[in-house]
Amino acid sequence: MRLPDRTTDWCRAALNRLAGADRGWRATLLGLAIVLVIALGTV
Amino acid sequence: MTDSVGRLLPGLAVLAVAGVLARAVGGATPVDPLVVAVGCGVVLGTVLSLPDYVEPGVDRYKLLLETGVVLLGASLTVEQLVGAGPAVAGLAVAVIALGVGFGEVAGRLASVGDQTRPLLAAGASVCGVSAVLAVASSIDSDEAAVAYAVGTVLLFDAATLVTFPLVGAVLGLPDRVFGVWVGLSLFSTGPAAAAGFAVSETAGQWATVTKLVRNAFIGVVAVAYALSYADGGRTDATEVWTRFPKFLVGFFVVAVLANAGVLDAAARGAVSTVGDWLFTLAFVGLGVKLNPRGLGVAGARPVAVVLAHFLTVTTLAFLAVRALL
């Protein structure tokens, strides 16, 4: 399945924004992603 | 994005391999894995001189460090704070306030540098290495100051782990009194629990609970240091927010999620394990970036300040525990 161009553009923009974000925000998002994965994995 | 991830992989792989080695050595010997990790990093950075293409990944060690602090939020529980009772919670707050104040004043009197002093004050007063790392990221300390502070904390952890059970046996204190005293005095959770359980089950439980209450204030202390160091002559809210370490937002969000029931005990344990691994990998990176000569500059004075801090706090905590419990 191919995602609509607008979706991939949005994802690319979000990832670029994240890559350029303040290190503290990136740590926050990375930490929350880890917590989310663990929370879903232990349900 | 794909290119940048590809550029990070060699360095992250180096951190991972050295991190696995450090945890294996730490598990098989009495040496703390974090010390082994820093040692591995120093060897990689100075003896082996890593190729340039691993640098982008190794440079991400501060991101790993801050992510580890975010995950520490999962170990902060309101239940422990309430369950310990108002007397123990009050003593924990008093020990932190006294400890940070003493560390700052004595550190200034002994001319301990601005980079090292807050790390030692927080590490000795709140929760050892975790507090050192949280405050180091809050005030953007250099690698040598962090390594020195962590080394000092681990030195005291080892010494107090051995001496406290012996002192407890000599004093013959009631188990609850001894446990609370241990929880108020020792720097890190592991040694506090071990010293308590070495005397009795009850002492170990009280030592652990009291220590966890102290640990709960890591975020408050890190924010306080971040705000005081963000000043820099300007006190407007925008400047403070710009320099505020954003990972502390993550720390508090994770703490809220853990207390809201999103994470059960098993999930908290898993989050804590991932956090430990992130710290290990980050410490390898810290070792790579560390100039070992920088450690010698600090000298013995900061250790003497921490010793004075420890003796003062533990004596006052002993008197308070005897009077109140």
Side-chain angles (χ1 to χ4, degrees):
Chain A
M1 189 183 79
R2 186 181 153 78
L3 292 170
D5 283 349
R6 190 179 292 176
T7 310
T8 51
D9 286 349
W10 186 87
C11 285
R12 192 176 293 118
L15 287 171
N16 284 336
R17 205 181 167 99
L18 178 59
D22 177 281
R23 193 178 63 228
W25 284 126
R26 278 184 283 153
T28 291
L29 291 173
L30 188 55
L32 289 174
I34 291 168
V35 168
L36 182 68
V37 168
I38 290 173
L40 292 174
T42 53
V43 168
Chain B
M1 191 69 194
T2 311
D3 285 344
S4 66
V5 170
R7 278 186 343 115
L8 299 180
L9 283 179
L12 292 176
V14 167
L15 297 185
V17 170
V20 169
L21 179 70
R23 305 265 312 179
V25 172
T29 64
V31 185
D32 192 283
L34 295 181
V35 174
V36 183
V38 175
C40 287
V42 169
V43 169
L44 288 170
T46 55
V47 180
L48 300 179
S49 73
L50 292 167
D52 289 345
Y53 61 83
V54 302
E55 202 155 309
V58 172
D59 280 345
R60 289 298 190 278
Y61 80 91
K62 284 189 176 176
L63 176 65
L64 303 180
L65 202 64
E66 292 180 0
T67 308
V69 176
V70 170
L71 299 185
L72 276 179
S75 57
L76 192 158
T77 61
V78 176
E79 284 165 29
Q80 285 151 357
L81 237 149
V82 175
V88 171
L91 284 170
V93 173
V95 159
I96 292 167
L98 171 75
V100 171
F102 185 97
E104 282 294 326
V105 173
R108 281 172 205 269
L109 291 174
S111 305
V112 177
D114 285 347
Q115 295 272 316
T116 311
R117 193 183 59 245
L119 308 187
L120 293 175
S125 307
V126 190
C127 52
V129 172
S130 310
V132 169
L133 301 181
V135 173
S137 296
S138 297
I139 65 172
D140 208 15
S141 287
D142 60 50
E143 288 86 1
V146 177
Y148 187 92
V150 168
T152 306
V153 165
L154 293 174
L155 178 73
F156 276 82
D157 279 350
T160 50
L161 173 61
V162 175
T163 52
F164 259 71
L166 298 174
V167 173
V170 171
L171 294 175
L173 297 170
D175 287 346
R176 181 175 174 233
V177 171
F178 178 71
V180 173
W181 181 45
V182 166
L184 291 173
S185 301
L186 268 59
F187 296 174
S188 303
T189 309
F197 281 111
V199 170
S200 75
E201 185 81 14
T202 308
Q205 286 167 353
W206 276 105
T208 308
V209 167
T210 308
K211 189 69 194 62
L212 290 174
V213 171
R214 267 172 73 200
N215 296 357
F217 290 90
I218 179 181
V220 177
V221 173
V223 169
Y225 268 115
L227 294 178
S228 68
Y229 271 67
D231 182 358
R234 293 178 60 187
T235 51
D236 59 287
T238 312
E239 173 68 9
V240 170
W241 175 245
T242 303
R243 300 194 61 175
F244 182 81
K246 311 298 185 298
F247 67 91
L248 290 177
V249 175
F251 170 88
F252 285 113
V253 171
V254 171
V256 169
L257 291 175
N259 284 285
V262 175
L263 299 174
D264 58 16
R268 278 182 190 166
V271 170
S272 173
T273 303
V274 174
D276 287 345
W277 273 99
L278 289 176
F279 283 146
T280 309
L281 266 59
F283 267 56
V284 176
L286 187 141
V288 173
K289 295 289 168 187
L290 185 66
N291 176 3
R293 288 178 189 164
L295 291 175
V297 175
R301 226 180 319 179
V303 177
V305 170
V306 176
L307 179 62
H309 172 287
F310 171 72
L311 293 174
T312 305
V313 169
T314 196
T315 304
L316 292 174
F318 177 77
L319 296 172
V321 168
R322 287 295 279 167
L324 295 173
L325 299 182

